Amino acid sequence: MSDPYKKDSGDTVPGEGEDGAASLRGYTLGLALALLLTGASFWVASTNLVWAPSVPVAIVVLAVAQMGVHLVFFLHVTTGPDNTNNVLALAFGTLVVLLVIVGSIWIMGHLSHGMAMDHAAMGNMP
Amino acid sequence: MSSAAGTSSDPHRLGHGRNEDDNQRDTTGHGQGGPASKRIVVGYGFWIYLLSDIVLFSAFFAAYAVLAHATAGGPSGPQIFTRTRVAVETVCLLLSSYCCGLASLGAERRSQLTTQLSLAATGLLGAAFLAIELSEFAELMARGATPTRSAFLSSFFALVGLHGLHVTIGLLWLGTMMAQTWVKGFRPAIMRRLLCFSLFWHALDIVWVGVFSIVYLLGSRA
């Protein structure tokens, strides 16, 4: 680490890692884990061995796990002390993403439910 | 490292730079030691951009989730999605991300050969992904499943197309980076750009994880 442009103790950026966290072993391990989780995801979606109503939950959980693997092994976002800024930004981004997606599904679900009720009510009218 | 007293009171050096004998070295971003280096500032700024890009994608995901069943009598998910093709696409993009990691390792060792070969492999795998996606789009259009057919197909083409557009831009950026690395060598500015490019490429892979899980795997179930 004699490179003056890399040496900046006390802070890290995503993708750089702390103390040479970026290594061939790290990337290969990340690739293996990601392939494993992808394979599990496709298997769960295709098989009949898993109780059908639980499949969407399983797929979402596997997707979140794989995103975590990518963040840690490829982007080197960790919980290390020098990564606090990166993790806080990520946490805020995740909050906004969850608000947008869950909020949209929730509100639009209620809206279409209400519209279905209206149609049913109108259909019953003489 | 820091003094014994400093280590015990602040083992993870969260308040780095607060140690009396450490002021000159570990005060990045804390005033006396001066601002963070340009590499940290650029990388962090690009990380913020990537998060905002992911927020943009989340809006498209939300639109797709809301409209997924609004097929207007047209083709539905299980009728148009092919899982094997998506699996091949996913493996292409995953290996591409891995090669991108190898490229940043090569750049760290200042090895022109490793960097160029890894970047070329990254680009070829990314191009293969894009070619498969475009052939899928062409096939759907030929079958009459165009973006104008239903709200479901509009949101599908918007979400997957937006990701494809990002990959296309990434490929252009990749070509630029290969040329710049070749001509200018591993200057600090080039190293910063390589860092940003690898972040961009890895982030696209994360978005694709969401796409293949939510759109293709959940969407291809009846």
Side-chain angles (χ1 to χ4, degrees):
Chain A
M1 299 287 275
S2 58
D3 182 1
Y5 303 107
K6 276 211 68 178
K7 181 68 182 169
D8 202 345
S9 61
D11 280 305
T12 54
V13 287
E16 188 175 53
E18 301 165 59
D19 307 328
S23 65
L24 183 61
R25 217 184 51 145
Y27 281 115
T28 312
L29 186 61
L31 177 71
L33 282 172
L35 281 174
L36 199 70
L37 287 165
T38 305
S41 209
F42 275 83
W43 179 78
V44 162
S46 325
T47 184
N48 290 321
L49 290 174
V50 182
W51 186 50
S54 71
V55 169
V57 181
I59 288 176
V60 169
V61 167
L62 285 169
V64 170
Q66 193 176 343
M67 287 174 184
V69 166
H70 282 240
L71 280 174
V72 170
F73 289 96
F74 291 161
L75 286 160
H76 309 299
V77 175
T78 64
T79 52
D82 291 344
N83 240 315
T84 317
N85 284 340
N86 305 331
V87 173
L88 280 177
L90 175 67
F92 180 65
T94 313
L95 172 72
V96 175
V97 166
L98 283 178
L99 283 178
V100 169
I101 293 180
V102 176
S104 298
I105 293 173
W106 186 25
I107 291 173
M108 296 309 285
H110 272 264
L111 206 58
S112 62
H113 185 68
M115 275 169 64
M117 296 273 277
D118 284 350
H119 283 300
M122 273 190 281
N124 289 336
M125 274 182 211
Chain B
M1 230 7 225
S2 48
S3 69
T7 312
S8 60
S9 66
D10 187 12
H12 295 295
R13 293 167 50 252
L14 286 172
H16 34 242
R18 304 272 164 75
N19 300 322
E20 298 78 10
D21 57 349
D22 219 18
N23 272 349
Q24 296 311 308
R25 284 188 292 132
D26 286 337
T27 52
T28 309
H30 286 271
Q32 204 176 357
S37 75
K38 199 163 181 182
R39 185 177 170 86
I40 297 289
V41 173
V42 167
Y44 186 64
F46 198 76
W47 179 231
I48 301 288
Y49 155 71
L50 284 178
L51 288 168
S52 78
D53 215 25
I54 286 173
V55 168
L56 170 76
F57 270 107
S58 81
F60 281 74
F61 270 110
Y64 176 82
V66 167
L67 299 171
H69 297 291
T71 51
S76 63
Q79 290 168 332
I80 59 170
F81 296 148
T82 328
R83 261 182 215 156
T84 42
R85 180 164 48 200
V86 180
V88 175
E89 277 182 291
T90 306
V91 170
C92 276
L93 210 55
L94 205 51
L95 288 176
S96 178
S97 223
Y98 178 70
C99 290
C100 186
L102 297 187
S104 37
L105 289 180
E108 230 165 86
R109 289 192 288 112
R110 305 290 188 271
S111 160
Q112 190 72 249
L113 183 70
T114 317
T115 311
Q116 292 289 349
L117 282 180
S118 309
L119 283 178
T122 307
L124 285 177
L125 286 162
F129 167 85
L130 208 58
I132 298 172
E133 186 165 294
L134 284 177
S135 78
E136 181 194 17
F137 280 8
E139 194 187 308
L140 289 181
M141 302 261 194
R143 287 169 55 187
T146 55
T148 53
R149 180 62 190 83
S150 66
F152 157 64
L153 284 168
S154 301
S155 60
F156 164 77
F157 277 103
L159 173 56
V160 181
L162 182 69
H163 180 266
L165 197 63
H166 275 79
V167 174
T168 313
I169 293 168
L171 285 177
L172 291 176
W173 189 2
L174 174 76
T176 316
M177 284 325 299
M178 284 177 75
Q180 287 195 333
T181 310
W182 184 256
V183 174
K184 301 185 179 184
F186 297 103
R187 293 183 201 170
I190 301 297
M191 292 299 286
R192 286 198 298 271
R193 287 171 206 168
L194 281 172
L195 170 73
C196 289
F197 170 74
S198 70
L199 289 177
F200 183 74
W201 203 251
H202 292 316
L204 281 188
D205 209 9
I206 291 183
V207 172
W208 179 253
V209 172
V211 172
F212 86 72
S213 299
I214 305 296
V215 175
Y216 289 101
L217 291 186
L218 287 182
S220 63
R221 293 165 46 77

